Amino acid sequence: MRRASREACSVGKSYIVRLPRSSSPSHIRSVEHEDMMALHMRTAVAAFILLHTTSSASEAEASEPESAAAREREARAAASIKERERQVQRALATSLRDRDKEREFHKRDEAVQERERQVQRALATSLRDRDKEREFHKRDEAVQHFNALLADLVRNPDLTWREAKKQLKKDHRYSLAEELNKDDKERLFSQHTSALGNKRRDKLRALLAELSVGCTAHWRDVKKQLADLATAPAYRNAAQMEREFRDYQRDKQNAAKTALRQLLLETRSITHRSLAAVRDGPAAMQQIQDTLKHDARYTALDHIPEERQQIIMSYLEELEKKGPPPPPTATEPSRRAKQ
């Protein structure tokens, strides 16, 4: 296109150059000269237009096959791009589906693994509990076997563990207690001998109660009485039996003191004013004693009158500190409602 324009311009210039020149201005009129110049100019322009039109048409005819091929290439390229886009979209969709499937697979796999771990933990706990229960039963059976062995062979509460162990090992049942260690066996032996000692003590106290042995009895007299009884329990020595006798008297006396306090609680004539009356004169105390002396719980402490008197005075002081009792309606709302 540009080349055709240049050619047209050169043709126009050649026409302009070839215009005849006047030999002399005096021989040509001015009007004719202007007409001639205009004619030559129109001719050059027409030639330029014709050349431009011809070159443009020929150039269009020459470039038409090239434009069709380009359009065909562009169409093929566009189709290829669209096909590539569709392939990419399909690949992306497939990748997303694969990713979702993989994610779901991993999620299920993690859930399965977590469930397996839970089952393993539960199984481990169950196995530990079962092992503990088995060990407990084995130990319990060993304890039962050893206690049965002690009951058959150890009947003297004064026997020591060293002495008893030699005797126990001779029995074949001793091997049934292999689950127990030395400390366990010695502890069970101590419990067994302690139980035997308690039974012997209870038996002795029952005999002392049958003999009506009181708190003022002497051991020398009681010892003779027990020696004549075939049912009297055996002790390692007399001193041990005497200690049991002293403990019996002490417990009996403490029980008598407790019974006296209960008697004072049951005596309604003793009130918070009784202590003031006793301070005013001895007649009030004598009246209290006359009220109590008919009860065995009072006479049981005749051998310790000073302690008995102290118990009574302590009770009177306690009543005085508490003051008068509340009215019945204050402690019994149901009774107040009836009124």
Side-chain angles (χ1 to χ4, degrees), residues 214-231:
C215 297
T216 58
H218 297 284
W219 167 243
R220 182 174 53 189
D221 300 333
V222 174
K223 180 181 178 181
K224 292 179 180 179
Q225 293 177 345
L226 293 174
D228 297 336
L229 296 175
T231 57

Side-chain angles (χ1 to χ4, degrees), residues 128-308:
R128 285 196 300 269
D129 294 340
R130 188 179 64 181
D131 293 340
K132 289 180 180 179
E133 186 176 359
R134 185 185 297 114
E135 292 296 329
F136 173 78
H137 285 303
K138 290 173 64 177
R139 179 179 175 81
D140 186 61
E141 290 179 358
V143 170
Q144 292 179 5
H145 287 306
F146 193 72
N147 283 333
L149 185 62
L150 292 174
D152 293 341
L153 300 181
V154 180
R155 299 181 179 180
N156 182 8
D158 298 326
L159 196 65
T160 63
W161 168 242
R162 179 176 296 181
E163 296 171 346
K165 184 168 59 174
K166 296 178 181 179
Q167 185 178 357
L168 294 173
K169 286 184 176 181
K170 295 178 181 179
D171 196 293
H172 69 280
R173 292 174 294 175
Y174 188 81
S175 60
L176 298 177
E178 292 180 351
E179 294 293 329
L180 304 177
N181 55 33
K182 179 181 177 181
D183 295 336
D184 292 334
K185 293 176 182 178
E186 188 171 357
R187 178 177 54 82
L188 292 174
F189 171 78
S190 299
Q191 293 176 357
H192 176 70
T193 54
S194 178
L196 290 177
N198 292 335
K199 289 181 180 180
R200 184 176 63 180
R201 182 195 60 193
D202 294 341
K203 186 176 182 180
L204 176 62
R205 293 193 173 196
L207 287 177
L208 294 175
E210 290 179 4
L211 296 175
S212 300
V213 176
C215 297
T216 58
H218 297 284
W219 167 243
R220 182 174 53 189
D221 300 333
V222 174
K223 180 181 178 181
K224 292 179 180 179
Q225 293 177 345
L226 293 174
D228 297 336
L229 296 175
T231 57
Y235 283 82
R236 181 184 292 271
N237 50 54
Q240 189 178 10
M241 182 180 285
E242 184 178 0
R243 284 197 299 271
E244 293 287 358
F245 168 74
R246 300 299 180 190
D247 292 341
Y248 169 78
Q249 285 187 318
R250 185 185 65 252
D251 294 342
K252 188 176 180 64
Q253 183 167 302
N254 291 335
K257 292 179 180 179
T258 302
L260 177 60
R261 293 189 184 94
Q262 182 63 31
L263 174 61
L264 294 173
L265 288 172
E266 296 173 1
T267 305
R268 295 184 177 275
S269 60
I270 301 176
T271 65
H272 63 286
R273 297 188 181 92
S274 298
L275 182 61
V278 170
R279 289 171 180 168
D280 292 340
M285 176 58 72
Q286 186 62 42
Q287 184 179 0
I288 293 174
Q289 292 175 352
D290 292 341
T291 304
L292 301 175
K293 67 181 181 180
H294 300 290
D295 197 298
R297 290 173 288 182
Y298 178 82
T299 58
L301 296 177
D302 286 342
H303 61 288
I304 48 172
E306 294 82 4
E307 293 187 21
R308 181 176 61 188

